[in-house]
Amino acid sequence: MRLYRICTIGLMLLFVILSVTEAQIVNIDKRRTRNPNQGLQGAFNLGFNFIHTTTDQKQLNSRLKLQYNDDLNTYLFSTDIGFNQVGSERNVNNGGLMLKYNYWVPEKIIIAEGFLQYQYNRVKSLKHRYIIGGGPRFNIADGEKFSFFIVGYTIYLNELYEHSDYERRKSLVKFSSMGSMDWKISPSANFNHTTYYEPDYSDPADFRIWSETRLNLKISKKFNFGLFVKLEYDNLAPPEVDNLFYTVSNSFQWQF
């Protein structure tokens, strides 16, 4: 048991270090926990994915989340990093970081959000993507067992792809909308789903859609098992990159 704990802590520290040095994220999902307690909270995920893109991939990824609650304010720092195997090639080729701030308006269904994000993904030919934005979140339902909310972000986006002849605009202001639901099936099982829609209204053919679904099963007080499915569709994907990406992930989570 002692050896198991030492190995677990060693793996956690290794991936935390890697996450901080490579820190990138793949989308602008709200990662605030439902725990209202004040102070510092966190979670660390380690997972294995099978991803279908232009070629099939195997991926080992880690995710670190740190959150601080102070009365009506929430501060969030989150990182992702992915180790990919594409055929016989192994490399570190996607990841991201995000900083987010939430202000809970007293006795209202509205929450103000602002965030800053950086990401890259070599598989998608994305050298970098910088995003800064914010907007209101509306809690349509916020019960103990079920919640549903919608968000309307205004964002400034700057991105650079590896293809020099790719004609998509490199820097622009866009609108991004999101709907999300969370269902507590039982004390040991939780289901949530989130869908994003991000159009460029000056160019109707330029839009992206993300869809994420997760099922979490509680193993013990500190450990969870999660099944995660993500669909990403880009109507104007770069040359030789598929419009549709999907990810299936099984992961274990340690909470502290």
Side-chain angles (χ1 to χ4, degrees):
M1 179 63 69
R2 184 178 180 183
L3 178 60
Y4 171 78
R5 290 179 178 176
I6 292 173
C7 292
T8 301
I9 293 172
L11 280 172
M12 184 195 71
L13 292 175
L14 172 64
F15 279 92
V16 166
I17 293 169
L18 288 171
S19 295
V20 171
T21 56
E22 296 292 344
Q24 279 62 246
I25 236 173
V26 294
N27 60 44
I28 55 175
D29 191 8
K30 181 187 73 67
R31 295 185 177 179
R32 184 186 191 280
T33 67
R34 293 177 57 80
N35 189 343
N37 295 334
Q38 295 188 17
L40 183 66
Q41 305 168 44
F44 174 75
N45 284 69
L46 179 65
F48 177 78
N49 304 333
F50 174 78
I51 305 174
H52 171 76
T53 59
T54 307
T55 59
D56 290 336
Q57 304 173 53
K58 296 177 182 178
Q59 182 185 78
L60 180 68
N61 64 8
S62 68
R63 174 181 293 177
L64 172 68
K65 181 195 71 176
L66 296 175
Q67 174 181 303
Y68 183 80
N69 295 336
D70 180 11
D71 195 14
L72 301 176
N73 304 291
T74 297
Y75 306 88
L76 179 68
F77 173 73
S78 182
T79 74
D80 275 342
I81 188 172
F83 296 80
N84 282 270
Q85 177 179 342
V86 184
S88 59
E89 181 181 357
R90 291 182 175 90
N91 50 37
V92 181
N93 63 1
N94 69 78
L97 71 80
M98 179 177 65
L99 297 172
K100 177 172 279 190
Y101 168 75
N102 290 346
Y103 175 73
W104 297 65
V105 181
E107 301 179 358
K108 302 292 183 180
I109 66 170
I110 188 173
I111 296 172
E113 296 188 351
F115 64 91
L116 176 66
Q117 175 185 310
Y118 169 71
Q119 66 185 86
Y120 77 97
N121 192 312
R122 295 173 186 165
V123 175
K124 297 180 181 180
S125 300
L126 178 65
K127 288 186 175 181
H128 72 247
R129 177 180 292 140
Y130 300 97
I131 301 176
I132 184 171
R137 191 191 85 182
F138 299 94
N139 287 339
I140 308 302
D142 193 15
E144 289 294 325
K145 292 187 176 181
F146 181 82
S147 64
F148 174 72
F149 64 86
I150 57 175
V151 177
Y153 290 120
T154 299
I155 65 174
Y156 169 75
L157 178 139
N158 181 280
E159 57 186 9
L160 179 64
Y161 287 87
E162 295 177 2
H163 300 275
S164 59
D165 58 345
Y166 186 44
E167 295 182 355
R168 174 179 261 164
R169 287 196 293 166
K170 303 297 188 299
S171 181
L172 69 159
V173 176
K174 300 182 70 174
F175 177 76
S176 180
S177 60
M178 183 261 282
S180 181
M181 60 86 68
D182 188 274
W183 175 31
K184 187 176 182 180
I185 303 172
S186 70
S188 59
N190 188 79
F191 175 86
N192 58 67
H193 175 82
T194 300
T195 296
Y196 294 87
Y197 174 60
E198 186 181 290
D200 180 359
Y201 289 110
S202 64
D203 183 2
D206 186 357
F207 66 87
R208 299 184 176 107
I209 298 174
W210 293 276
S211 178
E212 302 181 354
T213 303
R214 181 183 293 273
L215 175 65
N216 289 317
L217 302 176
K218 193 175 186 66
I219 300 175
S220 67
K221 186 177 180 179
K222 295 293 185 181
F223 283 91
N224 295 335
F225 170 78
L227 175 62
F228 175 71
V229 179
K230 178 170 66 176
L231 301 177
E232 302 174 77
Y233 180 81
D234 188 342
N235 197 52
L236 286 183
E240 301 179 359
V241 175
D242 287 356
N243 294 94
L244 177 65
F245 281 58
Y246 64 83
T247 303
V248 179
S249 172
N250 299 284
S251 66
F252 290 92
Q253 182 186 73
W254 176 62
Q255 292 183 310
F256 57 92

